[in-house]
Amino acid sequence: MQSPVLKISNISRSFGAIHALKKVDFEINKGEIMGLVGENGAGKSTLVKIISGFDNGYEGEYKLNGQVVRFETPVKAELSGIAIAQQELSLIPNMSVAENIFLAGAKVKKFATLKKLSEEAKPYLDAVGLSDIDPSIRTNLLSVGEQHLVEVARLLSHDAQILILDEPTAALGEQESRRILDMVQKIADSGKSIIYISHRLDEIFKITNRIAILRDGESQGIINTKDLNVDSLVEIMLGRELKNMFPVKPTKIKEDTILEVKNLWPDGLIEPVNFKVQKGEILGLAGQLGSGAGEVLAAIAGALQIRSGSLVLNGKEFMPSSPQQAIKNKIAYCSSDRKKDGLFLGRPIMENLTSPALEVISKFGIRSASTEQKYSKNLALEFLIDVKRLNDESGLLSGGNQQKVALGKWLSISPEILLVNEPTRGVDVGAKSEIYQRMRELADNGTTIIFASTDIQEVTYLPERVLSFYQGLLIRQFGLNDIKTTSILKQITDPFNETNL
Amino acid sequence: MQDLISSYKKNLLLSILLTFFVLLFLYGIFATNNYFTWFNFKTIIRDAALYGIMAIGLTFVTLSGNFFLLSIKETAAICCVSFAMGMSTGYGVESWVGNFPISLLVTLLIGCLAGAAQGLFIGLGGNPIVVTLGGAGILYGIATWWTDNLVISFRRPNDAEWLGTGSFLGLPTITWSFILIAILAEFVLRYTNFGRKVYLVGSNRAAGKATGHENLSMAIIVCTICSALCAFVAVAFAAQMSSAQANYFSAEFGSSGDMTILVIATVMVGGNSIMGGYGNTIRTSIGAIFIAMIDNMMVLNGLNSGPRIVGVGLMIVFSILVFALYAKGSRAQE
């Protein structure tokens, strides 16, 4: 039995009253690929920050090669051989690949020609399977997947012994993901340890030796991958069966059409799409990033340019050219990036909640403070937002509560159709369940809801009909009875049998 | 007392400003001759009123996230010569010579047009700095071209004197205008839908668009408001001088050199967020009075215009610094 290169025992970390980590244990052996999984908010990123030296305000013991360590800065962690590739790329797009690889670290030379750098970069690029790439080209000419590989090559150039890869495939299609997985395997074979974080459970099962599971800041143990299957892993991650998180589905599909999408061709799709939406149903658009599901939603809301097509809303032909027009026709759209265009972060929650409905709460353009108070209080109560905090800046809320505000504000216009892109991105388990509950209640009261999601669980358990998208194509429709995790997963990852996962 | 301290901490920037305000006032009373007199007080708020009104207009632009108009003094320049032309020549119509309402209307119209045009380009996605720099050149050029860069004067007595040099209940008309405009502007920002939209669009333009509040109409309206208020000040100033020249607002205005910088300073010193979405016109008004007080004190202490312009510059730097530090601590957005 070899001793682990990195061992963490009893680590706790709290931020004020919030305990992000509670007595967590973690370890990794030499040459091992260790999966790290958990729901959003389970403490994965806090743990990773501690390991990589971004955060040293923890309690507990952190041993590297048998020695107790405490890194004050990420640079010190890196010198000890721990390197992290963040989910968001940190490459400089306008510099060459070679320059990016040697951007920082011990091997940086004061003076070097690009040719010299390229020669030196070559072995690292070979190691990550990028041997066919010229190190002197600009980084932004590479695909996103290749850029991730360059980032890993950079870590290798720092002599990293333990690599942390945080969702390297989140933004990638199937083919590029496979490339990354191959690379990870190859690096592990060369004796380096890899901590692999991903929401894609299929990947986790494919490449890892062991899996460390976190839930609500507590370790749920480190388990050999071959002793687990998807269902048992999910159950450990969530602490309950998946189904209980979701409201009960109706027993049959509604029948009167409220919206018909005719030949709609938004930017980002390969061909126009046609489908019908029934009044009072929840329709799920399933697809990975770049599949076009989100684009369809945005187009219906007038937030995205279209090449052609139209909508038939309540029997009338209609195509919004701006969100403003969509809102006038009671179509509300909640985008996937609430920080960007879902919330006014610097403004109070109350103003956020009433922002789409100023006309409703005013007379001749003048508001009375008490009407607004009452109005937003009702909305807050309906969406389980703390009414005492209505005057706080919305930016101070947690992710889950922010999402509730971003969604809840649309109730103020009593929409007929509610479009939601990624209803629960960056939201904790509890808030997730509440949001699902509310969405179902709204649908029961006659609001039509269409949502797009990359989360296979919510696509399976929330809607009564699902449309699956793959790389800009509408692939298939699922009815109430044929919605199954496995078949949807197949349709959104590999509908044409191109790969054998 | 506890409440007082906690509200002091909550409005840190405003409190720092007010503290300075009080200290300066005390210094003025005890250490400067001729400071604590009714006449001097009137001078201060008269000065404050002129750039305060323009700054209130600019506050709308800044709050809505459209940064600044760099064409403030040029807008004022073309408006002041337009008014003087109206009073002295009647725009070529014999019967209009000396007609105050017509001159005022034409001038306000020019101001609104200038603002709306710049707002249109900004709203369509133009960079506010570039658009208004261009606008500034065009407006100033037209103003000098129109008047051959001469001083246009119109004889007293005329119909505009009540606005230029008149007073009501002991305060100059322009000061009353400042007070009324400040109250009206604050009401609009606080209680109307338009005011709320200014804040929303200013704090997050993308979210504003997503909730149906487009920046295009917003930019046009706020730029028009700002330019119309510049036009009003220009009229009052021309009425006060009974004359106008295109470069009145560049060098000879009030005391501290360049009008545009002074107005921007007023908005900044008040502590309005340069990125938009945060601030109000009370802050701007306090900023105006603050700058006028400091400037007045420098005058009474015998400083000439060079050091006084340095003083205004220092105030901008100071307020931006304080605001940046303050913003780091409390606002989630930055």
Side-chain angles (χ1 to χ4, degrees):
Chain A
M1 182 83 192
Q2 55 173 332
S3 66
V5 273
L6 184 150
K7 187 170 171 60
I8 274 175
S9 22
N10 267 330
I11 283 214
S12 302
R13 177 73 171 115
S14 27
F15 302 97
I18 302 155
H19 300 287
L21 292 179
K22 287 169 251 175
K23 306 214 173 223
V24 167
D25 299 321
F26 182 83
E27 60 171 50
I28 186 165
N29 295 327
K30 192 169 161 52
E32 183 181 39
I33 305 177
M34 171 69 87
L36 178 59
V37 299
E39 284 285 270
N40 292 319
K44 284 179 312 219
S45 48
T46 313
L47 180 61
V48 165
K49 274 183 190 155
I50 288 173
I51 294 177
S52 56
F54 282 92
D55 183 355
N56 63 359
Y58 56 90
E59 290 159 31
E61 199 181 55
Y62 178 176
K63 272 189 183 166
L64 192 66
N65 299 318
Q67 308 256 311
V68 177
V69 289
R70 185 181 279 263
F71 299 119
E72 277 119 38
T73 61
V75 177
K76 288 193 177 156
E78 219 172 276
L79 289 176
S80 307
I82 297 174
I84 178 164
Q86 307 276 9
Q87 191 176 349
E88 276 111 45
L89 288 161
S90 58
L91 299 175
I92 298 173
N94 279 323
M95 278 176 132
S96 72
V97 172
E99 282 169 313
N100 264 302
I101 288 179
F102 295 111
L103 203 56
K107 291 199 181 132
V108 175
K109 298 223 167 45
K110 290 231 163 55
F111 300 101
T113 59
L114 188 55
K115 203 171 151 210
K116 184 104 180 34
L117 276 183
S118 301
E119 274 165 31
E120 288 180 8
K122 205 78 191 149
Y124 301 112
L125 288 174
D126 289 346
V128 295
L130 283 179
S131 18
D132 51 335
I133 278 184
D134 176 2
S136 62
I137 63 167
R138 283 211 321 273
T139 310
N140 55 2
L141 299 175
L142 304 180
S143 73
V144 180
E146 287 167 335
Q147 292 187 27
H148 273 283
L149 293 171
V150 170
E151 180 123 6
V152 176
R154 172 155 92 190
L155 303 187
L156 292 178
S157 81
H158 296 171
D159 279 332
Q161 292 307 312
I162 300 173
L163 279 82
I164 305 170
L165 305 182
D166 190 355
E167 300 246 18
T169 58
L172 302 183
E174 209 51 46
Q175 217 144 20
E176 299 227 278
S177 299
R178 285 173 68 84
R179 216 165 152 183
I180 300 248
L181 296 186
D182 289 346
M183 177 271 296
V184 169
Q185 199 73 59
K186 209 167 140 191
I187 294 174
D189 290 344
S190 73
K192 299 187 191 299
S193 312
I194 290 165
I195 301 173
Y196 192 84
I197 304 167
S198 178
H199 279 298
R200 295 194 183 172
L201 298 182
D202 51 331
E203 290 178 356
I204 294 273
F205 276 99
K206 201 169 162 229
I207 62 166
T208 59
N209 306 97
R210 289 190 294 168
I211 304 177
I213 307 162
L214 288 178
R215 182 173 81 217
D216 297 334
E218 288 176 61
S219 310
Q220 305 296 322
I222 297 174
I223 303 170
N224 283 329
T225 308
K226 54 180 182 296
D227 299 337
L228 281 168
N229 60 35
V230 174
D231 286 335
S232 59
L233 176 61
V234 166
E235 210 176 312
I236 300 172
M237 267 166 63
L238 300 184
R240 55 179 151 171
E241 272 197 78
L242 262 182
K243 281 182 204 146
N244 300 342
M245 266 184 70
F246 293 89
V248 185
K249 284 190 199 183
T251 45
K252 63 178 210 286
I253 291 170
K254 312 258 183 339
E255 267 158 16
D256 36 331
T257 303
I258 181 170
L259 177 77
E260 202 183 329
V261 175
K262 284 198 339 206
N263 285 319
L264 186 70
W265 196 355
D267 279 356
L269 260 74
I270 290 173
E271 58 176 32
V273 292
N274 287 287
F275 60 91
K276 284 182 183 172
V277 189
Q278 318 296 350
K279 189 172 167 52
E281 76 168 346
I282 298 184
L283 172 67
L285 309 185
Q288 293 177 293
L289 233 101
S291 65
E295 281 76 3
V296 171
L297 278 192
I300 296 175
L304 187 73
Q305 201 117 46
I306 57 161
R307 281 177 240 180
S308 65
S310 66
L311 308 174
V312 180
L313 178 66
N314 286 323
K316 266 189 293 191
E317 192 107 350
F318 160 73
M319 191 67 225
S321 63
S322 70
Q324 201 172 24
Q325 287 178 15
I327 292 166
K328 283 211 181 94
N329 285 283
K330 301 257 177 213
I331 298 178
Y333 169 61
C334 190
S335 85
S336 60
D337 190 346
R338 59 177 169 265
K339 288 208 158 74
K340 186 173 150 248
D341 59 5
L343 285 175
F344 304 96
L345 289 175
R347 305 301 304 173
I349 297 167
M350 185 167 77
E351 292 185 13
N352 272 283
L353 286 173
T354 56
S355 60
L358 290 174
E359 276 73 30
V360 184
I361 54 166
S362 59
K363 273 193 190 124
F364 310 113
I366 296 171
R367 274 171 292 110
S368 88
S370 61
T371 322
E372 185 174 20
Q373 281 277 356
K374 221 167 67 194
Y375 200 82
S376 53
K377 208 166 162 179
N378 283 338
L379 283 176
L381 284 173
E382 256 188 85
F383 238 96
L384 302 171
I385 300 160
D386 190 352
V387 278
K388 285 193 217 84
R389 299 187 66 179
L390 281 181
N391 289 315
D392 286 1
E393 282 177 23
S394 51
L396 300 173
L397 294 173
S398 70
N401 281 319
Q402 283 188 3
Q403 184 67 13
K404 286 190 207 164
V405 174
L407 260 173
K409 72 166 188 274
W410 289 114
L411 301 193
S412 66
I413 62 165
S414 356
E416 275 187 55
I417 299 178
L418 178 60
L419 310 166
V420 194
N421 197 356
E422 297 290 349
T424 59
R425 176 178 287 175
V427 169
D428 58 284
V429 187
K432 255 187 185 175
S433 183
E434 283 166 18
I435 288 173
Y436 297 143
Q437 212 69 45
R438 275 306 291 149
M439 284 170 74
R440 178 50 72 192
E441 279 168 42
L442 281 173
D444 288 345
N445 291 330
T447 308
T448 310
I449 299 177
I450 314 176
F451 75 94
S453 176
T454 53
D455 183 335
I456 190 70
Q457 297 160 19
E458 65 191 28
V459 169
T460 316
Y461 292 102
L462 185 62
E464 50 246 55
R465 287 197 308 133
V466 173
L467 305 177
S468 76
F469 287 79
Y470 176 74
Q471 297 195 343
L473 296 168
L474 171 55
I475 302 292
R476 219 197 110 168
Q477 229 191 86
F478 293 83
L480 199 49
N481 297 319
D482 43 328
I483 297 182
K484 291 205 177 55
T485 309
T486 43
S487 53
I488 295 178
L489 198 60
K490 172 76 179 157
Q491 292 300 320
I492 63 174
T493 53
D494 182 27
F496 307 125
N497 293 316
E498 291 162 326
T499 54
N500 301 304
L501 256 183
Chain B
M1 195 59 200
Q2 278 287 310
D3 289 351
L4 201 71
I5 292 170
S6 75
S7 80
Y8 186 98
K9 278 184 184 158
K10 220 169 139 194
N11 298 304
L12 189 63
L13 185 71
L14 204 64
S15 313
I16 291 175
L17 268 180
L18 281 175
T19 313
F20 262 88
F21 205 68
V22 171
L23 288 178
L24 203 68
F25 194 59
L26 290 176
Y27 175 79
I29 293 173
F30 294 112
T32 309
N33 291 331
N34 297 326
Y35 186 76
F36 200 53
T37 60
W38 178 240
F39 177 77
N40 193 42
F41 174 70
K42 276 204 289 190
T43 314
I44 291 176
I45 49 176
R46 191 191 164 80
D47 281 355
L50 282 171
Y51 41 82
I53 293 174
M54 295 195 193
I56 285 172
L58 189 65
T59 307
F60 281 88
V61 178
T62 308
L63 283 181
S64 72
N66 287 303
F67 207 55
F68 293 127
L69 295 186
L70 294 181
S71 54
I72 286 176
K73 75 173 183 221
E74 288 79 6
T75 308
I78 195 171
C79 290
C80 104
V81 299
S82 144
F83 181 73
M85 285 299 250
M87 293 300 282
S88 63
T89 69
Y91 309 112
V93 182
E94 197 63 43
S95 58
W96 287 1
V97 174
N99 187 325
F100 175 73
I102 286 181
S103 308
L104 179 71
L105 271 180
V106 169
T107 304
L108 285 179
L109 194 70
I110 290 176
C112 290
L113 276 178
Q118 294 176 75
L120 176 70
F121 285 108
I122 295 172
L124 288 173
N127 180 312
I129 295 177
V130 178
V131 169
T132 57
L133 265 181
I138 295 169
L139 293 171
Y140 190 75
I142 295 175
T144 44
W145 192 3
W146 190 5
T147 60
D148 289 333
N149 210 9
L150 298 172
V151 177
I152 313 295
S153 47
F154 46 99
R155 241 173 289 129
R156 287 177 199 264
N158 56 49
D159 293 346
E161 274 174 60
W162 66 272
L163 181 61
T165 48
S167 61
F168 176 72
L169 294 179
L171 285 179
T173 320
I174 190 74
T175 307
W176 282 112
S177 313
F178 178 42
I179 295 169
L180 287 178
I181 288 171
I183 292 172
L184 186 69
E186 191 57 24
F187 176 83
V188 167
L189 281 178
R190 253 183 223 211
Y191 297 110
T192 66
N193 288 343
F194 168 71
R196 173 61 59 78
K197 287 179 197 170
V198 168
Y199 283 117
L200 292 179
V201 173
S203 83
N204 185 343
R205 188 177 295 176
K209 189 173 161 66
T211 46
H213 313 311
E214 307 255 348
N215 189 44
L216 177 57
S217 52
M218 177 60 63
I220 295 176
I221 297 173
V222 291
C223 291
T224 306
I225 291 175
C226 181
S227 296
L229 289 177
C230 288
F232 175 75
V233 172
V235 167
F237 192 64
Q240 184 191 343
M241 310 293 275
S242 284
S243 67
Q245 193 188 2
N247 65 4
Y248 263 14
F249 295 90
S250 312
E252 293 168 27
F253 180 77
S255 47
S256 301
D258 191 287
M259 186 68 189
T260 305
I261 292 178
L262 200 61
V263 171
I264 291 174
T266 307
V267 174
M268 294 309 303
V269 168
N272 296 297
S273 165
I274 195 168
M275 304 309 292
Y278 180 78
N280 55 45
T281 55
I282 294 176
R283 287 170 175 278
T284 306
S285 308
I286 291 175
I289 296 173
F290 190 59
I291 289 183
M293 266 175 76
I294 292 187
D295 192 49
N296 174 268
M297 200 159 317
M298 289 191 285
V299 173
L300 290 180
N301 282 306
L303 298 175
N304 55 24
S305 80
R308 274 155 48 211
I309 296 172
V310 173
V312 172
L314 282 176
M315 271 188 280
I316 301 184
V317 174
F318 170 76
S319 65
I320 290 175
L321 270 182
V322 173
F323 192 79
L325 293 174
Y326 166 78
K328 239 181 222 160
S330 95
R331 295 186 63 208
Q333 199 177 9
E334 264 85 18

